[in-house]
Structure formats: C-alpha cells, structure tokens
C-alpha cells in the first residue's frame, strides 16, 4: 500500500495521504512518500493545481505519537534534530509554483493542521475539527505553527489556539480565518476542484 496516492484529473493533481487506519498520522514512511510526491509534482509541467486530502475520515492527525514520543533516554538536542528534519519535508508543499488547496475532510490536528495551513487555500468539510494540539501533548508548536497561524488569524486568536490547543469546528475555523470556506462533506472535493 502506498503511503501517498497521486490522482490526476486534467491539470489538477490530488495528493491523498493514505494511512486511514491511523488517521493519516505522519511517520518517516509517509514523510518520504510525501516528499517524493512533491518532487514528482514539482517536475510535472502539466500540473496546474494540487489538492491535498486525507484518505478516510481524517485529513491528518499530525505526527504519529509512537514515532514522535522521545522515550526515556532522549534528550532535547536529539528531539530537536529529529523534528527539524521531519517538519520541512511536509512544508515543501509551499515550494510548488502552482496553487495548493487543502481539502480538510476531517480532523487536522497539530502538524496536520500545519500542513493544511501551508497550502494556499483551505476548504473544510462541515464536520472537520482543527486544533494545534502541541501544548496538550507537552510539545513546542513546531512545523511553522506560530508563523502559519498568525499569518491566517489575528495574533490574539492565534495565541489562544496555540496556548489552549482548543479544538474548533469548520464553521469557527472559517470565522477565525483558518479556512476559506466550509462545505458539506459530500461536496468537498468538487469544491476544491
């Protein structure tokens, strides 16, 4: 099973995170597949736009905690190196020179929310849940969370979302400026296209 599936419809490429059994949580394998997909799309002159969506009921649950958790012998420099190598690979979506659209079909949590925020446009299904979640896990908000969130929402709201790790639904996310629009789940991909 491929960790990332690329589907093409004319000039639109849909990049589908394909780990539905774990809500498309990010692992080294998904990271490598995502990086490869971005490189492939970057080199394809026929691609005019890229849609990112999660397979199943979630957009992306963020980093797979079984991989992210440092363990009892880890130290801060080791974790810093690990995460500094991991985050930029997903943020590579920003290096594409075509419009990118996050079709947020379900929960976008932590680094998964950052992936969505790194896209140019975000469209959420009505039932989608979004949260920074980092502080709830006792982690520093990484993957450019502080930059991306304050770019979309006013600083006061961005700070609240980071400090509290509060979950917001699609409607509130639209009101806060995190998503461009909210649509019924069955219309999500059509609206993104």
């Amino acid at each position: 099973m491929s960790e990332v599936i690329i589907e093409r419809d004319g000039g639109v490429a849909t990049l589908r995170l394909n780990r539905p059994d774990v809500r498309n949580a990010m692992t080294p394998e998904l990271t490598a597949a995502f990086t490869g997909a971005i490189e492939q799309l970057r080199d394809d002159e026929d691609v005019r736009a890229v849609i990112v969506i999660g397979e199943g009921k979630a957009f992306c649950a963020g980093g797979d905690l079984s991989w992210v958790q440092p363990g009892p012998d880890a130290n801060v420099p080791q974790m810093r190196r690990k995460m500094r190598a991991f985050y930029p690979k997903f943020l590579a979506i920003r290096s594409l020179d075509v419009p990118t659209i996050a079709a947020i079909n379900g929960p976008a949590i932590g680094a998964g929310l950052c992936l969505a925020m790194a896209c140019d446009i975000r469209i959420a299904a009505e039932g989608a849940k979004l949260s920074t979640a980092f502080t709830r896990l006792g982690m520093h908000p990484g993957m450019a969370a502080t930059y991306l969130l304050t770019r979309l929402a006013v600083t006061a709201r961005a700070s609240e979302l980071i400090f509290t790790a509060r979950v917001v639904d699609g409607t509130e996310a639209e009101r806060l400026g995190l998503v461009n629009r909210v649509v019924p789940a069955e219309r999500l991909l059509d609206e993104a296209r």
Side-chain angles (χ1 to χ4, degrees):
M1 176 176 84
S2 177
E3 303 278 324
V4 173
I5 298 169
I6 298 175
E7 302 161 348
R8 295 173 190 272
D9 181 10
V12 177
T14 300
L15 198 155
R16 190 177 294 272
L17 306 179
N18 190 31
R19 299 190 71 228
D21 53 320
V22 291
R23 299 172 17 151
N24 303 308
M26 298 167 169
T27 60
E29 296 79 18
L30 179 60
T31 304
F34 187 85
T35 302
I38 293 298
E39 289 171 3
Q40 182 181 342
L41 294 172
R42 186 181 301 118
D43 294 337
D44 188 337
E45 294 178 1
D46 294 328
V47 172
R48 298 289 178 248
V50 175
I51 298 170
V52 181
I53 191 168
E55 181 63 35
K57 296 181 179 182
F59 178 76
C60 180
D64 188 317
L65 294 182
S66 67
W67 176 78
V68 171
Q69 292 299 328
D73 298 327
N75 60 48
V76 172
Q78 288 172 328
M79 282 303 297
R80 187 175 291 131
R81 280 190 300 276
K82 181 180 190 178
M83 301 318 284
R84 281 189 174 162
F86 166 69
Y87 290 145
K89 293 180 179 173
F90 281 96
L91 293 174
I93 189 84
R94 296 178 60 81
S95 70
L96 295 176
D97 60 1
V98 297
T100 56
I101 303 163
I104 306 170
N105 56 309
I109 308 297
L113 175 59
C114 292
L115 173 58
M117 291 189 300
C119 292
D120 298 310
I121 297 171
R122 286 150 306 287
I123 301 172
E126 288 173 331
K129 303 290 184 202
L130 294 80
S131 175
T132 57
F134 294 103
T135 56
R136 184 174 296 138
L137 299 170
M139 297 173 63
H140 178 275
M143 199 161 149
T146 54
Y147 168 76
L148 293 167
L149 197 55
T150 55
R151 189 175 134 259
L152 300 174
V154 297
T155 304
R157 293 292 186 204
S159 295
E160 175 190 352
L161 293 173
I162 287 172
F163 295 149
T164 66
R166 185 167 64 84
V167 176
V168 298
D169 64 15
T171 302
E172 185 175 5
E174 182 180 27
R175 185 178 56 77
L176 293 172
L178 299 182
V179 300
N180 298 75
R181 99 179 42 108
V182 178
V183 298
E186 63 274 6
R187 287 190 21 229
L188 181 65
L189 265 178
D190 288 338
E191 193 72 21
R193 285 190 186 105

